[in-house]
Amino acid sequence: MSAQILSGKEVASSVLATLKPKVKKLNPRLVVVQVGDDPGSTSYIKQKIKSSEEVGIRSECRHLPEQISEKELLEVVHALNHDQDVTGFIVQLPLPAHLKNSVSKVIRAIDPAKDVDGFHPVNLGKTFVGPEFEDLPPATPAGIILMLEYYNIPVEGKHVVVVGHSNIVGKPLALMFLNRNATVTVCHKYTKDLASFTRQADILCTAVGKAGLITKEMVKPGAVVIDIGTSRTENGLKGDVDFASVKEIASAITPVPGGVGPMTVASLIRNCVRASEMQNQTPR
Ligand code: GUN
């Protein structure tokens, strides 16, 4: 039997439709900061701006030169923090190689009230405490939770295995599942015998960026498979999961592209609306 395809495009358009009236009332403004010309980033940013405009959010990309120094980038962040007409902003990652060690400093410099990516330690910390404190949760994990809710896929009591332990996806995703009473296992590149863990998953989430990492033999029949990884290959954008074979044994699966990607964008936009509500003290 072939798995149900979980369409991020469909869920995202439903989420965005609910945001439209709020946008009309609040008139938020989103800025995306891009440093350099990473082609992957350019394509993600286009999608973020396009979807924001579709719901009526004023949005723009602030494109900065590849060679910018850490100090100059921090000045841009400070200016956006203080600009009263900017509701929320993000600094698109990855940063160029010479700024690799500046990422956490740059993220920590963002005003948590404008951190619509949900990457600031204050927002990650609130996510740690419980669902009622997830005001500006990290965009990709929040998008995955929204998607499971939309398809009525239960989480409580399920064994969720998350592969990947980054600060912006794997770790907060594990916490958000824990907040919803799942039993959670986190695997990463130092995990020995990965398959012995992935085969136990009722819900398997993978965020590694290695095309074809998860094969059919690593998946329990009937599992829900959420593919967060993306790799640009000569055959186009690929996920971590060998989609063709895994869809034959999973009960539900996200495609790449068209799965988690649109959900990240939708939850970024939801965060921008929420940031606006909090800044204006409008109840949700
Ligand atoms: N690079 C890949 N995904 C993301 C994201 O969700 N936000 C930012 N800022 N950079 C990214």
Side-chain angles (χ1 to χ4, degrees):
M1 206 190 66
S2 202
Q4 178 185 20
I5 307 298
L6 305 176
S7 167
K9 278 190 199 162
E10 179 183 324
V11 189
S13 78
S14 146
V15 171
L16 294 176
T18 66
L19 297 174
K20 262 192 180 167
K22 294 183 179 191
V23 169
K24 206 164 179 189
K25 197 166 94 189
L26 295 157
N27 194 23
R29 179 167 167 233
L30 172 70
V31 175
V32 178
V33 176
Q34 179 177 15
V35 183
D37 294 293
D38 176 76
S41 294
T42 302
S43 140
Y44 291 130
I45 290 170
K46 258 192 202 149
Q47 208 45 56
K48 288 172 183 179
I49 302 284
K50 182 168 170 267
S51 296
S52 303
E53 284 173 350
E54 273 166 18
V55 292
I57 293 183
R58 295 174 291 146
S59 57
E60 70 196 56
C61 177
R62 189 80 49 94
H63 199 166
L64 305 175
E66 176 98 23
Q67 304 309 335
I68 196 169
S69 67
E70 178 188 281
K71 184 168 172 281
E72 288 165 325
L73 178 56
L74 288 170
E75 279 164 12
V76 172
V77 168
H78 290 138
L80 290 166
N81 283 342
H82 290 106
D83 185 336
Q84 300 278 353
D85 194 34
V86 172
T87 311
F89 66 99
I90 69 170
V91 177
Q92 187 69 26
L93 302 176
L95 292 176
H98 71 284
L99 294 173
K100 271 261 168 331
N101 295 330
S102 308
V103 172
S104 74
K105 196 167 181 182
V106 170
I107 289 172
R108 275 182 285 125
I110 298 173
D111 177 350
K114 294 190 175 191
D115 167 41
V116 287
D117 253 334
F119 290 174
H120 191 282
V122 164
N123 290 318
L124 289 175
K126 285 164 91 175
T127 300
F128 177 95
V129 185
E132 65 276 31
F133 294 97
E134 292 170 1
D135 293 324
L136 297 179
T140 299
I144 291 165
I145 298 292
L146 276 172
M147 185 183 235
L148 295 173
E149 286 171 357
Y150 179 90
Y151 285 106
N152 291 313
I153 295 172
V155 165
E156 189 164 274
K158 300 293 178 189
H159 186 185
V160 178
V161 176
V162 177
V163 187
H165 69 332
S166 71
N167 284 337
I168 63 176
V169 180
K171 281 194 233 172
L173 180 60
L175 277 172
M176 291 180 83
F177 277 120
L178 198 55
N179 285 343
R180 287 157 180 82
N181 301 323
T183 302
V184 183
T185 300
V186 183
C187 301
H188 42 74
K189 65 180 174 186
Y190 299 101
T191 298
K192 298 194 175 89
D193 194 4
L194 178 63
S196 70
F197 295 98
T198 59
R199 272 199 294 267
Q200 295 177 42
D202 300 313
I203 301 174
L204 175 60
C205 302
T206 169
V208 175
K210 216 176 193 183
L213 172 74
I214 305 294
T215 59
K216 183 177 158 195
E217 295 70 33
M218 298 169 78
V219 178
K220 179 164 82 173
V224 173
V225 179
I226 308 292
D227 193 350
I228 310 151
T230 50
S231 313
R232 276 163 208 282
T233 74
E234 51 194 27
N235 299 319
L237 195 66
K238 296 282 173 205
D240 289 347
V241 177
D242 178 20
F243 185 82
S245 69
V246 172
K247 82 173 189 329
E248 296 309 320
I249 61 159
S251 62
I253 188 168
T254 59
V256 176
V260 172
M263 293 312 302
T264 298
V265 177
S267 81
L268 167 73
I269 293 171
R270 186 179 69 154
N271 277 351
C272 190
V273 171
R274 284 186 172 181
S276 184
E277 285 169 336
M278 289 187 289
Q279 289 160 25
N280 290 286
Q281 295 183 327
T282 312
R284 254 189 231 160

